[in-house]
Amino acid sequence: MVRRKAALMGVILVTSRSFSDGDLDLVARANEAGHSILRGPAHHDLAELRPLLLDADAWIAGTGPVTDEHLAAAPRLRVVARYGVGTEAVDVAAAVRRGVVVTNTPGANADAVADHAVGLMLAALRTIPDGDRRVRAGDWSVRRGRELGAATVGIVGFGRIGQGVAARLSGFGPRVVASDPFLPEELVRAAGAEPLALDDLFGTADVITLHAPGGQRLVDAERLAGMRPGTVLVNTARPDLIDEQAVAQALADGILAGYAADTLDGDTAASASPLLAPELAARVIVTPHLGAQTTQAVDNMGRMSLDDAIAVLRGDAPAHPVTR
């Protein structure tokens, strides 16, 4: 009887570090649905994953790559449930060819990232991390900052996160402008921002926050040259949106007053980034990709990805399909 039950259970491979690390016991939720959780490495190294993929019926995948080679190593796989929003690391076309459903968790971490973006704006405008460092070194001199309510804030990408930023800014009272090629102007206005073309936004805003999808370069030397002197740039989206060398030079030249980001090119291997140069430390703030790391966001991403995986294994349509 025990063997019969084990044979009927689905195996859900999980390669996200924070899965079931919030308030929800998602492992118990999977077990109650008749499935077992199998943990794997977050970096998705194929040599380590191959024996795990062999038994996987579903895969809750973190930010590591999901290639055709990974999928070929998983003959029982029916669904890749991306633990997060972006699917650029997933070979979606290969999944479609192999009949594997791909899902993601849209909106799961939108509030968390919007909070973090506004926090980085305030930290940069008031030079909070630099002030903390100087006090610890015995330096109580004051660097004068700027108020968020007196600024024009430009939001690049006005989806769930961008609109969440606009909602949070309403309490501070700045002028809010936004650029998004996919949204009608009336929807931008209804969500609390004035629509502007991208170049006009970059030439108008005192604070610019990026919430656009990766795979494009939005900030290069030419665009930086058209910004208002003293602009603060915030990036909680993707590192490839900016030319790091050009941003570092703009900071050195005084075009940018500050840069605050939740990721750098290379992510945790970004030690060689020009933005980490000691001479820029007073004007650069970098956090270790923690924008989505709140208890609530972790619960949302875990619940949504698990529920979609279970739905596919049950033969139902998932709630958040990228493919069908």
Side-chain angles (χ1 to χ4, degrees), residues 21 34 48-49 53 55 75 83 87 118 126 162 165 170 177 194 227 240 250 263-264 299 304:
D21 195 29
E48 292 185 45
L49 274 181
L53 287 167
D55 294 326
Y83 185 88
T87 56
V118 175
R126 300 304 301 272
V165 170
S170 65
V177 298
E194 174 188 339
M227 289 185 185
D240 60 351
T263 184
L264 294 176
D299 280 343
M304 292 167 69

Side-chain angles (χ1 to χ4, degrees), residues 40-224:
H43 49 68
H44 291 188
D45 178 77
L46 184 54
E48 292 185 45
L49 274 181
R50 192 180 297 277
L52 306 179
L53 287 167
L54 189 64
D55 294 326
D57 298 287
W59 183 3
I60 296 177
T63 56
V66 179
T67 68
D68 189 37
E69 290 75 17
H70 288 86
L71 298 173
R76 291 167 44 179
L77 193 67
R78 296 171 58 189
V79 55
V80 174
R82 174 68 183 88
Y83 185 88
V85 179
T87 56
E88 59 269 22
V90 180
D91 189 335
V92 175
V96 170
R97 287 197 306 271
R98 295 181 179 277
V100 176
V101 176
V102 179
T103 68
N104 66 350
T105 60
N109 58 18
D111 285 340
V113 177
D115 282 355
H116 194 58
V118 175
L120 288 176
M121 290 180 203
L122 291 166
L125 287 169
R126 300 304 301 272
T127 64
I128 292 171
D130 179 60
D132 176 78
R133 284 191 296 266
R134 287 187 292 106
V135 166
R136 293 175 189 277
D139 178 3
W140 285 79
S141 61
V142 173
R143 286 181 61 195
R144 183 172 296 166
R146 291 182 289 165
E147 295 178 16
L148 184 53
T152 294
V153 179
I155 303 174
V156 180
F158 208 56
R160 290 182 179 89
I161 297 173
Q163 291 179 34
V165 170
R168 285 154 176 78
L169 290 174
S170 65
F172 292 92
R175 177 190 178 198
V176 179
V177 298
S179 177
D180 192 314
F182 303 107
L183 280 186
E185 291 189 356
E186 59 269 21
L187 292 183
V188 174
R189 290 192 179 92
E194 174 188 339
L196 283 183
L198 189 61
D199 285 333
D200 291 338
L201 182 150
F202 273 95
T204 299
D206 305 296
V207 179
I208 298 171
T209 181
L210 305 179
H211 302 287
Q216 57 183 326
R217 181 59 54 83
L218 295 179
V219 181
D220 54 17
E222 182 178 357
R223 189 154 268 151
L224 285 161

